[in-house]
Amino acid sequence: MATNSLIDLKSLSPKFQDLYAKAKDFVENDCIPAEKVFAAQMGQNENRWKIIPPVLEELKTKARSLGLWNLFLGRDYGTFGAGLTNVEYGLIAELTGRSSLAPEAMNCSAPDTGNMEVFAKYGTKAQQERWLKPLLNGKIRSAFAMTEPAVASSDATNIETNIRREGNEYVINGRKWWISGAGDPRCAVYLVMGKSDPDNSNRHKQQSLVIVPADTPGIDVVRPMQVFGFDDAPEGHCEIVFKDVRVPVENIILGEGRGFEVIQGRLGPGRIHHCMRCIGKAERALELMLARVTDPSKRTFGKSLSEHGTIVADIANSRIEIDQSRFLVLSAARKIDQVGAKGAKKEISMAKIAVPNMLLTVVDRAMQAHGAAGISQDTPLAGFFVRARTLRYADGPDEVHRNQLGNNELRRAAEIVERMKMQKAKSDALVAKL
């Protein structure tokens, strides 16, 4: 792994340094070697959605014994988490990104992380006792149901799922898709976004977020969606129909009309977590490329691959782009630590745009260096590429973040024009004296 030159790790807390060293060893010497075991233990056909490979529970047990557990919950979450800063957890998240098994092994995988943040930040004591505690213990999993096939869900105000109150219950009707984790047999609860007040003149007060136990009557998991042919079993990304699903009114999160507020509070740090895991994947992709091009058995036109100028240039560009992205994400993490997620919107958006695109490029170079093996199941590169492409949609598509960034920049235009006018006037006055 490359040396991080932006932050001196020794300047961070002793607790972080201990956890970082343990996480690095755990990912490299336990999680990565277990990846092929996980694949071999996967169920076949329909059993892909019923069997959780035993090696995962073994990894979880070891991670917890090492204290590598729920590290994503920072100082704002009190006793629920490890008390790390966003910068500190970001550096550990980079390590976990190197292996597909590490995030869940350390109970730090999406969508559970975001859902646990919701329960910890907005849940009642009863909601925390029923749902947060088993999630923190890694005993159940969860899903977040927002995206819908009938509307452009990148604008969350478009959501059409209906949440209607009848007496002491909410009745939910709607169709969702790309609901990550819904295929997992351990998925016990959904957080469902819908409209409880569609006629409210404030479009951001129309939505509510409700807790729906996964065994509630009226829920139909229609199918797992495929991402470039990957079904991501046993978790999956499912299409779900909610038909006259009834839950008690105490299952509302924070209150009616506050769903948009909750999901905005859920997204900021989570986007940084995704980005840092992407950087871990990019580092591993580059390492795979370096091993490939220096393999003495891989020679073309009388030279090793590493002696070709295009390969050398690709390696250099990947190194530059990975480090640029890391610095951008750590800058966003530091800003969140200093002023909170709301004050770091610009930095978060820049990272969310730049990092998945960087990962796509770095992985593509590594795949090219591997030849046909690079797009096969024999390396993790194809999976990395698919996840990177997916992240260009997840938690807000690139276009939404670019629009926000561009409009923020445009707000500076009036001040810039006035300054330029002043400078021109002074310049004209100086020239007139010549």
Side-chain angles (χ1 to χ4, degrees):
M1 287 173 284
T3 302
N4 188 305
S5 57
L6 178 66
I7 293 175
D8 178 6
L9 301 186
K10 293 181 180 178
S11 70
L12 300 176
S13 69
K15 181 177 185 178
F16 160 78
Q17 293 178 51
D18 177 61
L19 290 171
Y20 185 86
K22 289 178 179 177
K24 184 176 180 179
D25 180 72
F26 177 67
V27 172
E28 295 302 306
N29 296 313
D30 291 285
C31 294
I32 291 176
E35 289 171 354
K36 288 187 177 180
V37 178
F38 182 92
Q41 292 177 344
M42 278 287 295
Q44 300 299 314
N45 302 317
E46 288 303 310
N47 284 334
R48 287 173 60 76
W49 305 99
K50 298 176 182 178
I51 294 175
I52 305 300
V55 70
L56 184 58
E57 284 301 320
E58 295 169 14
L59 290 170
K60 288 169 68 175
T61 298
K62 181 165 186 179
R64 193 161 193 176
S65 72
L66 293 169
L68 300 173
W69 197 255
N70 295 329
L71 303 182
F72 69 97
L73 286 171
R75 294 176 176 177
D76 294 341
Y77 291 93
T79 57
F80 290 133
L84 300 176
T85 66
N86 281 284
V87 167
E88 290 172 334
Y89 177 65
L91 292 165
I92 292 175
E94 177 182 338
L95 298 177
T96 68
R98 294 174 58 83
S99 171
S100 58
L101 301 181
E104 186 178 351
M106 295 165 61
N107 213 40
C108 292
S109 59
D112 294 332
T113 48
N115 294 338
M116 284 189 269
E117 287 176 346
V118 167
F119 283 121
K121 190 172 183 179
Y122 303 110
T124 64
K125 293 294 184 184
Q127 291 167 354
Q128 291 175 351
E129 182 66 25
R130 182 172 180 186
W131 302 115
L132 178 59
K133 186 175 288 186
L135 281 167
L136 288 171
N137 286 327
K139 299 300 183 184
I140 65 171
R141 298 214 61 189
S142 61
F144 191 84
M146 188 180 83
T147 304
E148 298 180 2
V151 298
S153 300
S154 57
D155 179 353
T157 63
N158 288 333
I159 297 304
E160 292 182 339
T161 291
N162 181 260
I163 299 174
R164 184 181 74 256
R165 181 164 181 169
E166 288 187 2
N168 292 323
E169 293 181 317
Y170 288 112
V171 183
I172 304 162
N173 283 281
R175 182 181 292 268
K176 303 285 188 179
W177 71 345
W178 297 108
I179 308 308
S180 297
D184 195 313
R186 300 164 297 172
C187 182
V189 62
Y190 305 126
L191 293 182
V192 180
M193 180 83 160
K195 284 188 176 176
S196 55
D197 187 9
D199 298 322
N200 194 310
S201 59
N202 186 335
R203 297 179 68 223
H204 296 96
K205 298 287 187 182
Q206 298 174 353
Q207 305 83 8
S208 292
L209 192 66
V210 292
I211 302 165
V212 181
D215 59 358
T216 306
I219 298 175
D220 179 17
V221 180
V222 178
R223 57 174 176 160
M225 306 300 296
Q226 293 186 357
V227 189
F228 289 97
F230 289 85
D231 63 10
D232 288 344
E235 299 171 5
H237 315 280
C238 298
E239 181 174 358
I240 305 177
V241 172
F242 296 86
K243 185 176 175 62
D244 295 326
V245 174
R246 293 177 175 270
V247 297
V249 292
E250 54 264 30
N251 281 26
I252 196 83
I253 295 284
L254 201 60
E256 289 187 18
R258 302 186 72 178
F260 204 87
E261 176 185 347
V262 174
I263 65 169
Q264 287 302 305
R266 175 184 186 271
L267 287 175
R271 288 169 174 152
I272 296 302
H273 304 166
H274 278 312
C275 289
M276 288 305 289
R277 285 192 291 267
C278 281
I279 292 166
K281 288 178 173 60
E283 286 285 4
R284 189 172 171 197
L286 179 56
E287 290 173 11
L288 288 166
M289 183 178 182
L290 292 171
R292 172 77 177 197
V293 303
T294 56
D295 182 343
S297 69
K298 307 298 182 184
R299 297 177 64 84
T300 59
F301 307 105
K303 297 191 292 186
S304 72
L305 294 177
S306 62
E307 293 176 303
H308 290 278
T310 56
I311 293 287
V312 175
D314 281 348
I315 291 169
N317 286 331
S318 291
R319 176 76 276 144
I320 292 166
E321 291 158 14
I322 293 170
D323 283 2
Q324 286 174 332
S325 293
R326 179 185 291 110
F327 295 170
L328 186 59
V329 180
L330 290 177
S331 172
R334 178 176 286 167
K335 191 71 176 285
I336 296 173
D337 286 332
Q338 293 171 339
V339 299
K342 281 189 176 181
K345 282 183 179 179
K346 181 184 77 171
E347 290 79 7
I348 293 170
S349 288
M350 288 193 294
K352 178 59 176 61
I353 295 165
V355 177
N357 282 283
M358 173 278 295
L359 178 56
L360 282 169
T361 302
V362 170
V363 171
D364 186 73
R365 292 184 186 123
M367 289 194 297
Q368 196 72 8
H370 278 76
I375 57 173
S376 76
Q377 69 271 39
D378 289 349
T379 79
L381 294 171
F384 287 176
F385 189 89
V386 168
R387 289 181 181 89
R389 188 62 187 85
T390 301
L391 276 177
R392 292 192 57 208
Y393 301 117
D395 289 351
D398 291 0
E399 291 78 7
V400 170
H401 292 289
R402 282 197 177 96
N403 189 62
Q404 183 184 67
L405 274 171
N407 283 325
N408 283 341
E409 287 297 297
L410 284 168
R411 293 190 185 101
R412 301 171 51 225
E415 183 273 331
I416 290 170
V417 169
E418 286 303 311
R419 176 159 34 90
M420 291 172 68
K421 286 180 180 177
M422 179 270 293
Q423 290 167 342
K424 183 178 184 302
K426 287 188 174 181
S427 177
D428 290 345
L430 290 170
V431 170
K433 293 180 180 178
L434 295 177

